[in-house]
Amino acid sequence: MHQFILRRMIQMVFVLILFSVIVFTVLRLVPGDSATAQLGLEAGDQAYTELRAEMGLDQPIFIQYLSWASNVSQGDFGVSWFSQKPVISLIKKRIPASIWLTLSALTIALIISIPVGIISGIKPNSWIAHIATFFSLTGLALPSFWMGLMLILTFSVFNRWLPPSGYVSPFIDPIMGFKHLILPSLTLGIEIAAPLTRFIRSGMLDVMNSEYIRTARAKGLTEYLVISQHALRNAMLSVVTILGVFIGYLLGGSIITESVFNYPGIGTLLLQAIHQRDYGVIQGIILFISLIFMFINLMVDISYAILDPRIRYE
Amino acid sequence: MLKHKKIFILNLYIIFYFTLIPIGFAKSQMKIGLSADVVMLDPQLAQSGPDWTPQSLIWNRLVEYDNTMMDPIPSIAKSWEVSKDGKVWSFKIRKGITFHSGRELTSSDIVFSFKRGFEIGPKGRFAGYMVSVDSYKALSTYEFQVTLKHVDVTFLGNLAAPAAAIVDKDTIDKIRTEPIGSGPYEFVEWSPGEKTVYRKFNNYWDKKMLSKIPDEIVVIPILEDQTRLANLQSGNVDIIDGVEAVFWAQIQNDPNTTLWGQELTASYKAVIFNFEKPPFKGNKLLRQAIAHAINKEAIHQTVFFGTGEVGCNLIPKSHWAYTEIACYDYNPEKAKELLKRSGYDTSRPIYFPTSSRPAYMRTAEVVQANLKDIGLKTDIEPQEWSYYVQETWIKRKFEMQVAWYAREIDPDGLFSSVLRKEQGNNPMRYYNPAIETLFDGGKSVYDREIRKKYYEAIMNTAILDEMPIIKIQTIERKWASNKKIKDFNILPKGLPNYYNFKWGG
């Protein structure tokens, strides 16, 4: 197991390097750069050329990459061209907000999807299953920005119960912090609950038809034990995989939902940086997001071994 | 025991609330929701609209804009005199103005700021505003003099431009992270994408202004239009910018909100043509055909919901320099005839790239439909903003495009940078030596009646005949606030006059 983890870590380094090359190159091939973002419309060609030189953007891409990569390898991710703040500190500042949103959205998603998914998996033709299918299809079809806006209208404009946007750290002000989290996490939670329910349902359906469930029933176990000990654990294997993807998605910032709620997470930071072509910040965030995904994938692989003792990484 | 503990905690809460609430109320805070975040804190490098807030709040200029932007009011300069030939301007500096660091502002700071502004050159806006300056010097600690190359009636007004901020030479290295100025507000912090905080500078020289403004201003960038409005309606912010015309009636009918508009606007939307290459280079009839084909009234109703003023005149109707000119009417038949005479091969589509922002796209779509009616094909290409700025505006890869100008209100400021040679607002690369002379003439006399004639002549040639630009209509910019804001003025530029508002919260 240790060897497996070590091997994966080494692989991660190579993937990161390859990934950073791709991101770096693609970013610079997209028209528009930090100079256009700073100068706007009225400055003209000369200013544009001068500023590009000042930013080092007139250098060949591979030279730009090498200087960036050598800084990064020494732990220096550079500064944002516009705010002159270190990229690391910008990301660090957004992480708590993203973690809170991830945890609360995930909680909502799991609270909805686990019971509904299990019940509709066990009893695929019951009315609960039909209602669940209806709602999860609706959830899949609803665009999150629309749902976000409807929630804002209902809970912040027509009834002033909840703040329409922003973030307050729950450590500083638990009540306000909680209130700020409700709407965005509800939007994201419902968005994720829909596919998650369907995954759990189909996982359960598969498992319930398998022979070891029949065996378990045949040896006289109660239905509760059959489901909780035999079925659920096996069904969870595929769910854990998809859950990993969702956690990565949430931590890496769900750009649309964060923008609708003006939520200062990683997603809005990335969006702003893309608009301004703030290369250092974009590259920093993308490396951060890919690290998260790789780490979560590793966790998912490890959890396989725990969920299913037959899986061994040797 | 447990009961006692509960009572103890309850007590703590009560003490906490009653000690903290009064402190919270003693400090008044105004929250502004803006459609974009600050880009650049350095006022001499800043170029974009959202940078206006730090530029206005943190720094002073020699003079500041009044509400009309036509009569600059004294600021750092207490008074000024002009020599008889109109070329030498002497400014008396107000004594006792201090930077937020506590150091007194003197004429050496003004010399420093001018020098820095010219060194920055086209990367900032200062040098562009000060083109007519020949030399400048400090006469004494409290006197500053500028000599112009020739008479320039826009000079004084241009000193109020945001880029003409007087910066602190001692802290210039930190201007982009911890800026220090002499304005009514001190910079507290900028969390990119989250908020910018300013605190009232109690040593500010204008005590009358100090009594009208809040202790703290927090600017929150809220990019989504709907979310921004929801923040105002739910009381989360006190005032918002960029209110779309669809919401105007709703805000006016709400007893809790006020809609703030402009008396005069210097923003306008237009269609512009590339003069560097065919098909529009050297084909006046084709441009004129398009002028007859565009249904401005339809754009007025569908894109701008009936707001703004339709017309080809670059000067708005209520402006002192306005004169009636005979704009081309909407006449598809005449357009078809002109198109035929222009000899343009109608099977070839015109390349029509545009910013993907809704107001650009919707205008472009109506224009496309209008041109289709007369048998002209167009290829609209929606472009993301940075892409559009680089490819279409700076590199000028377009045949025609929709442009949005937000200019100064002096007639020279309104369109000289649009029609003069190689100016930033002239991606058409339109050039006519006669027009250049007329612009120079218009800037060199103070008599408004004479100036009017110059601009009328420019319009007769450029707008009615050669037509590098077809103005569609003016754009009104509106802000909305709750009732805590008692008075608020929006400059013709579309930006707020932070030197003239009243807070009652």
Side-chain angles (χ1 to χ4, degrees):
Chain A
M1 191 69 161
H2 293 299
Q3 258 191 358
F4 166 76
I5 295 174
L6 193 72
R7 213 165 48 228
R8 285 287 295 266
M9 294 280 207
I10 296 167
Q11 280 173 2
M12 273 160 82
V13 174
F14 285 103
V15 173
L16 273 182
I17 293 174
L18 185 73
F19 201 58
S20 70
V21 173
I22 297 171
V23 169
F24 199 95
T25 318
V26 169
L27 264 181
R28 272 155 187 79
L29 292 178
V30 175
D33 53 31
S34 323
T36 51
Q38 183 182 324
L39 292 174
L41 291 174
E42 295 186 27
D45 319 12
Q46 191 202 336
Y48 174 67
T49 320
E50 275 178 33
L51 191 59
R52 267 180 70 87
E54 203 177 295
M55 290 171 163
L57 297 175
D58 55 340
Q59 304 274 335
I61 293 182
F62 72 92
I63 290 184
Q64 290 182 45
Y65 178 76
L66 285 182
S67 84
W68 176 76
S70 82
N71 286 337
V72 168
S73 66
Q74 295 162 39
D76 174 13
F77 282 79
V79 296
S80 153
W81 172 261
F82 297 96
S83 65
Q84 298 284 306
K85 288 187 199 297
V87 172
I88 291 284
S89 82
L90 285 174
I91 297 178
K92 247 192 211 160
K93 215 175 160 207
R94 300 290 182 113
I95 291 178
S98 278
I99 291 181
W100 277 111
L101 186 58
T102 306
L103 289 180
S104 49
L106 213 59
T107 312
I108 291 175
L110 290 176
I111 288 175
I112 301 174
S113 60
I114 290 184
V116 178
I118 291 175
I119 292 172
S120 49
I122 302 170
K123 297 197 162 74
N125 288 317
S126 64
W127 58 271
I128 294 187
H130 289 306
I131 291 176
T133 310
F134 173 76
F135 277 107
S136 59
L137 281 177
T138 317
L140 277 174
L142 279 184
S144 57
F145 68 88
W146 184 83
M147 191 150 65
L149 286 174
M150 288 304 119
L151 287 175
I152 290 177
L153 276 181
T154 318
F155 293 102
S156 319
V157 177
F158 298 144
N159 305 294
R160 299 191 172 186
W161 295 334
L162 296 169
S165 67
Y167 163 75
V168 171
S169 167
F171 287 128
I172 293 170
D173 184 341
I175 297 168
M176 273 317 276
F178 182 65
K179 280 185 167 177
H180 273 97
L181 272 172
I182 295 178
L183 295 185
S185 37
L186 208 58
T187 312
L188 278 174
I190 293 173
E191 190 190 332
I192 293 173
L196 206 57
T197 308
R198 294 188 64 76
F199 260 96
I200 295 175
R201 177 179 168 273
S202 65
M204 284 305 277
L205 271 177
D206 276 352
V207 170
M208 292 307 281
N209 289 329
S210 59
E211 288 178 356
Y212 55 83
I213 294 294
R214 210 175 309 144
T215 314
R217 280 188 179 136
K219 71 180 179 187
L221 288 181
T222 60
E223 194 62 15
Y224 173 76
L225 276 178
V226 170
I227 290 165
S228 64
Q229 293 296 313
H230 296 264
L232 200 56
R233 232 171 130 155
N234 283 295
M236 276 302 143
L237 222 51
S238 63
V239 176
V240 164
T241 316
I242 192 80
L243 211 56
V245 176
F246 282 135
I247 294 174
Y249 161 73
L250 287 170
L251 277 178
S254 32
I255 292 180
I256 295 174
T257 310
E258 285 188 12
S259 326
V260 169
F261 291 100
N262 212 38
Y263 191 84
I266 299 285
T268 41
L269 183 67
L270 179 62
L271 185 68
Q272 167 103 0
I274 291 174
H275 278 315
Q276 297 187 331
R277 302 285 194 273
D278 202 342
Y279 293 134
V281 180
I282 305 177
Q283 282 149 205
I285 295 175
I286 292 184
L287 276 193
F288 171 75
I289 294 176
S290 37
L291 253 177
I292 285 182
F293 266 96
M294 286 192 281
F295 180 72
I296 287 171
N297 271 330
L298 182 63
M299 289 289 129
V300 168
D301 286 349
I302 293 172
S303 69
Y304 283 165
I306 296 166
L307 282 170
D308 187 345
R310 282 169 306 178
I311 298 172
R312 285 281 173 272
Y313 300 107
E314 295 308 338
Chain B
M1 187 61 200
L2 191 71
K3 205 176 169 188
H4 281 128
K5 207 172 166 183
K6 268 187 181 166
I7 291 173
F8 176 70
I9 292 174
L10 192 72
N11 274 329
L12 265 186
Y13 260 106
I14 292 172
I15 294 167
F16 209 63
Y17 265 97
F18 279 85
T19 46
L20 280 187
I21 288 174
I23 299 171
F25 268 89
K27 202 170 68 179
S28 62
Q29 188 188 56
M30 176 165 107
K31 285 188 177 171
I32 308 179
L34 287 190
S35 50
D37 195 10
V38 173
V39 176
M40 167 61 67
L41 279 176
D42 184 339
Q44 294 185 304
L45 280 174
Q47 297 260 20
S48 66
D51 298 338
W52 169 260
T53 306
Q55 282 172 318
S56 285
L57 296 179
I58 303 175
W59 289 276
N60 277 145
R61 284 133 288 268
L62 284 173
V63 293
E64 306 293 349
Y65 290 130
D66 71 326
N67 287 344
T68 65
M69 285 176 82
M70 289 185 202
D71 286 308
I73 51 172
S75 181
I76 290 176
K78 191 173 65 180
S79 60
W80 50 87
E81 275 170 17
V82 201
S83 66
K84 273 205 180 118
D85 66 357
K87 289 205 271 191
V88 183
W89 289 75
S90 309
F91 296 90
K92 287 234 167 11
I93 310 303
R94 200 180 293 275
K95 284 181 192 166
I97 297 183
T98 57
F99 283 111
H100 305 145
S101 58
R103 187 175 68 79
E104 192 182 13
L105 184 155
T106 64
S107 54
S108 64
D109 292 293
I110 303 170
V111 171
F112 175 81
S113 304
F114 267 61
K115 187 161 168 273
R116 185 168 183 265
F118 282 117
E119 277 167 9
I120 286 171
K123 275 181 285 171
R125 298 249 175 110
F126 181 78
Y129 279 117
M130 294 293 134
V131 272
S132 51
V133 171
D134 184 44
S135 64
Y136 54 90
K137 63 182 173 204
L139 297 177
S140 72
T141 318
Y142 300 109
E143 280 172 301
F144 177 73
Q145 193 176 69
V146 181
T147 308
L148 303 180
K149 293 173 198 155
H150 43 77
V151 176
D152 179 359
V153 297
T154 64
F155 169 69
L156 189 67
N158 286 347
L159 285 177
I166 304 304
V167 296
D168 175 23
K169 59 177 193 277
D170 289 355
T171 56
I172 201 72
D173 296 337
K174 288 188 186 164
I175 196 163
R176 282 173 70 179
T177 47
E178 296 162 42
I180 282 189
S182 66
Y185 283 88
E186 290 177 79
F187 173 80
V188 179
E189 65 160 321
W190 174 26
S191 290
E194 223 176 311
K195 62 179 176 186
T196 325
V197 183
Y198 308 90
R199 184 176 49 226
K200 185 152 86 175
F201 177 45
N202 287 318
N203 278 336
Y204 188 61
W205 58 271
D206 187 352
K207 300 295 177 210
K208 205 174 133 204
M209 179 178 170
L210 275 189
S211 66
K212 291 198 296 184
I213 57 179
D215 295 323
E216 202 170 80
I217 291 183
V218 179
V219 179
I220 306 167
I222 308 173
L223 278 51
E224 285 290 315
D225 292 339
Q226 296 268 4
T227 312
R228 202 162 56 251
L229 184 61
N231 269 278
L232 174 71
Q233 289 169 330
S234 65
N236 215 32
V237 298
D238 300 303
I239 185 162
I240 56 169
D241 77 332
V243 183
E244 295 235 16
V246 224
F247 301 119
W248 291 1
Q250 183 195 340
I251 291 165
Q252 272 165 331
N253 294 333
D254 185 340
N256 300 315
T257 50
T258 315
L259 191 66
W260 303 96
Q262 299 167 282
E263 281 172 39
L264 203 58
T265 174
S267 302
Y268 50 95
K269 178 134 280 182
V271 169
I272 60 175
F273 304 107
N274 193 335
F275 269 51
E276 286 180 305
K277 56 184 176 195
F280 292 106
K281 184 186 179 185
N283 196 341
K284 190 157 81 180
L285 290 175
L286 179 59
R287 301 193 295 271
Q288 290 176 346
I290 292 178
H292 274 302
I294 296 177
N295 187 348
K296 292 181 184 175
E297 195 53 43
I299 297 175
H300 181 60
Q301 294 304 335
T302 56
V303 183
F304 295 95
F305 301 93
T307 66
E309 180 186 300
V310 180
C312 75
N313 198 323
L314 297 183
I315 299 173
K317 267 194 188 109
S318 51
H319 196 290
W320 61 261
Y322 178 81
T323 44
E324 196 77 36
I325 59 170
C327 290
Y328 285 38
D329 59 337
Y330 169 58
N331 188 340
E333 289 315 309
K334 205 163 177 190
K336 278 180 198 162
E337 185 202 316
L338 284 168
L339 177 63
K340 210 171 171 185
R341 276 170 51 203
S342 76
Y344 181 73
D345 169 14
T346 49
S347 66
R348 176 193 172 281
I350 293 170
Y351 180 50
F352 188 14
T354 177
S355 155
S356 56
R357 291 183 177 178
Y360 284 79
M361 270 305 286
R362 280 185 248 139
T363 309
E365 282 160 0
V366 179
V367 171
Q368 183 180 46
N370 291 157
L371 296 188
K372 198 179 159 211
D373 289 344
I374 65 160
L376 260 183
K377 277 188 237 161
T378 46
D379 270 348
I380 291 188
E381 186 183 291
Q383 295 171 341
E384 181 264 352
W385 186 252
S386 280
Y387 184 120
Y388 164 75
V389 173
Q390 188 179 63
E391 297 295 300
T392 304
W393 199 267
I394 296 176
K395 294 189 177 167
R396 306 190 291 282
K397 291 182 190 160
F398 71 101
E399 289 172 7
M400 64 184 276
Q401 62 163 309
V402 172
W404 175 330
Y405 292 110
R407 301 296 316 140
E408 315 291 322
I409 198 65
D410 184 90
D412 185 77
L414 260 173
F415 51 90
S416 73
S417 77
V418 179
L419 296 175
R420 293 194 74 157
K421 192 184 179 193
E422 287 180 10
Q423 290 289 309
N425 279 318
N426 182 1
M428 305 81 95
R429 284 301 181 257
Y430 170 71
Y431 171 60
N432 179 343
I435 294 282
E436 300 288 321
T437 318
L438 286 170
F439 269 118
D440 286 336
K443 259 172 86 169
S444 63
V445 276
Y446 281 90
D447 188 321
R448 286 183 170 176
E449 286 309 307
I450 303 175
R451 291 191 75 194
K452 240 171 148 170
K453 298 269 184 294
Y454 279 107
Y455 298 112
E456 194 181 356
I458 292 171
M459 226 107 56
N460 280 331
T461 310
I463 302 305
L464 297 183
D465 184 45
E466 293 179 331
M467 232 173 244
I469 167 172
I470 300 169
K471 178 182 163 188
I472 296 169
Q473 71 157 87
T474 60
I475 300 165
E476 284 178 39
R477 308 277 200 97
K478 296 222 191 256
W479 289 52
S481 78
N482 56 25
K483 296 293 175 185
K484 285 185 197 169
I485 286 153
K486 306 289 180 201
D487 187 21
F488 197 76
N489 296 284
I490 300 163
L491 299 171
K493 248 173 143 44
L495 300 163
N497 185 354
Y498 285 116
Y499 286 83
N500 192 357
F501 76 98
K502 191 160 183 258
W503 168 256

